[in-house]
Amino acid sequence: MAGRARYEELIRQLSAFGAVKREMSRVMPAECPGGSGAVLALLGRHGDMRMSRLAELLAVDMSVTSRHVAHSAERGWVERSPDPADKRSRILRLTPAGRAQLDELFERTTRLLADRLSDWTDDEVGQLTLLMTRLRASFDDCRPAQSRPPAPPADGRATRTPITTK
Amino acid sequence: MAGRARYEELIRQLSAFGAVKREMSRVMPAECPGGSGAVLALLGRHGDMRMSRLAELLAVDMSVTSRHVAHSAERGWVERSPDPADKRSRILRLTPAGRAQLDELFERTTRLLADRLSDWTDDEVGQLTLLMTRLRASFDDCRPAQSRPPAPPADGRATRTPITTK
DNA sequence: TATTGTTATACTCTATAACTATA
DNA sequence: TATAGTTATAGAGTATAACAATA
């Protein structure tokens, strides 16, 4: 358990963190806003899935997810095919065009980070990523849990706060 | 210089970080949205200042700053007095009510963090804060620079870009 | 009756541009 | 002419609630 001063300083940093995200979004192609980018990134990482699962990964209401996905689908980046097992559901899949767009996003953001973080060592970047991942996991653990998967097989530098199915 | 895989993983974490911020803002009093909270926090930390300086600290356009400050002033948290040295400017100051509101904000967010991060050590929280501070500084250093002070000596966990009165 | 997904509405945050009042 | 600050407008993100189709 950390001291109050620690928390307050962390709060300040969290609060001021918007600036970094804003600068990241400024290098994104105008046609692809952040919401769509997040959709593509998650589909690229986790593969095909349903709306509800995507909403959970985005940690956002499904109504919001629906709009982001609609935007992506309109541009041909995502395909929504009916789920044969449940006609209410739709299976989302990244199209080749979506994959290309995703590559472009990573290309741009990676270039930005490589520029800004040129004086960071590989290990320092890894450290920050690890701690941010863990922070997010610590918050996730306390969510109204829908269908949190039982300890997703941590893939390398994954979450240090193991997820227990409640 | 870190490897591309490092950057991509960091990008994913940055992208997913909104969830943490959203949860933080959910514990805020309805009357005090995030923008006002940031204003109060910066005035509390750095003391009285002008609009332009606050806008720079917020890393946001002055038009945005103006609205947040107006919101805070309407609620009696911030006082805008004319600058005798320059009649175009206004000096911002935290009122006692603003200080009380700020205390309340820290109280709530600290409580949230203490809950979520109960299994983090003091040192781990410090580590994360330090790295986030440094990340932000790395981005700041590349900004269109208005009155950025000349590379101050980093002192541990404080902002690495200390503020000097222009 | 409950769940999946969509749509309508409203609110916050942001940037750009036009405007004022000083400098 | 340039700068400090305000306001109007527009765009992105989010949540809540009402709705349709299916389970």
Side-chain angles (χ1 to χ4, degrees):
Chain A
M1 173 72 78
R4 182 185 176 95
R6 287 286 200 215
Y7 290 138
E8 293 200 354
E9 196 53 37
L10 178 54
I11 289 163
R12 289 201 179 84
Q13 289 311 315
L14 289 170
S15 164
F17 217 56
V20 172
K21 289 205 74 175
R22 282 196 294 282
E23 190 149 1
M24 296 283 289
S25 65
R26 264 190 277 272
V27 304
M28 302 282 264
E31 199 188 30
C32 184
S36 297
V39 167
L40 300 185
L42 286 173
L43 287 177
R45 185 188 186 84
H46 298 283
D48 302 2
M49 66 183 80
R50 305 194 312 171
M51 290 289 308
S52 52
R53 168 124 177 78
L54 179 58
E56 194 186 318
L57 289 176
L58 286 169
V60 138
D61 191 86
M62 191 153 59
S63 65
V64 177
T65 308
S66 182
R67 289 207 340 177
H68 290 327
V69 168
H71 183 275
S72 302
E74 281 160 17
R75 276 153 190 79
W77 299 327
V78 169
E79 194 184 61
R80 288 179 286 192
S81 39
D83 182 345
D86 184 337
K87 285 176 187 165
R88 294 172 304 181
S89 286
R90 302 170 88 170
I91 305 291
L92 307 176
R93 177 167 29 180
L94 210 55
T95 65
R99 170 64 64 179
Q101 179 68 37
L102 178 54
D103 289 344
E104 171 67 16
L105 297 185
F106 270 124
E107 179 59 33
R108 292 189 186 209
T109 45
T110 297
R111 199 151 39 205
L112 176 63
L113 284 184
D115 174 53
R116 296 297 198 267
L117 274 47
S118 59
D119 62 338
W120 287 53
T121 67
D122 186 89
D123 193 57
E124 288 169 330
V125 175
Q127 264 292 314
L128 173 58
T129 304
L130 175 64
L131 288 170
M132 287 184 67
T133 305
R134 202 179 146 210
L135 176 64
R136 199 159 61 84
S138 291
F139 271 75
D140 275 1
D141 288 349
C142 299
R143 264 199 312 177
Q146 301 253 85
S147 60
R148 243 185 295 108
D155 62 343
R157 59 214 139 213
T159 69
R160 217 163 117 208
T161 306
I163 320 280
T164 51
T165 317
K166 184 200 253 170
Chain B
M1 172 72 79
R4 182 185 176 95
R6 287 285 199 216
Y7 290 137
E8 293 199 355
E9 197 52 37
L10 177 55
I11 289 163
R12 287 202 179 83
Q13 289 312 315
L14 289 169
S15 164
F17 217 58
V20 171
K21 289 205 75 175
R22 281 196 294 281
E23 190 149 1
M24 296 283 289
S25 65
R26 264 190 277 272
V27 303
M28 303 281 264
E31 200 189 29
C32 184
S36 296
V39 167
L40 300 184
L42 286 172
L43 286 177
R45 185 186 185 84
H46 300 284
D48 304 2
M49 66 183 80
R50 305 195 311 171
M51 290 289 308
S52 52
R53 169 126 178 72
L54 180 58
E56 194 186 319
L57 288 176
L58 287 170
V60 139
D61 191 88
M62 192 152 60
S63 65
V64 177
T65 308
S66 181
R67 289 208 339 175
H68 291 326
V69 168
H71 183 276
S72 303
E74 281 161 17
R75 277 155 190 76
W77 298 328
V78 169
E79 194 183 61
R80 287 179 287 192
S81 39
D83 182 346
D86 184 339
K87 285 178 187 163
R88 295 171 304 177
S89 286
R90 303 170 88 168
I91 305 291
L92 307 175
R93 177 167 29 179
L94 210 54
T95 65
R99 171 63 65 179
Q101 179 67 37
L102 179 55
D103 289 345
E104 170 67 15
L105 298 185
F106 270 125
E107 179 59 33
R108 292 189 186 210
T109 45
T110 297
R111 199 151 40 205
L112 176 64
L113 283 184
D115 174 53
R116 296 297 198 268
L117 276 44
S118 59
D119 62 337
W120 287 53
T121 68
D122 186 89
D123 192 58
E124 288 169 330
V125 174
Q127 264 292 314
L128 173 59
T129 304
L130 176 63
L131 287 169
M132 286 183 68
T133 304
R134 202 180 145 209
L135 176 64
R136 199 159 62 83
S138 289
F139 271 75
D140 275 1
D141 289 348
C142 298
R143 265 199 311 177
Q146 301 254 87
S147 64
R148 234 183 306 102
D155 72 333
R157 68 196 73 107
T159 42
R160 225 157 121 212
T161 311
I163 319 300
T164 54
T165 316
K166 179 202 253 177

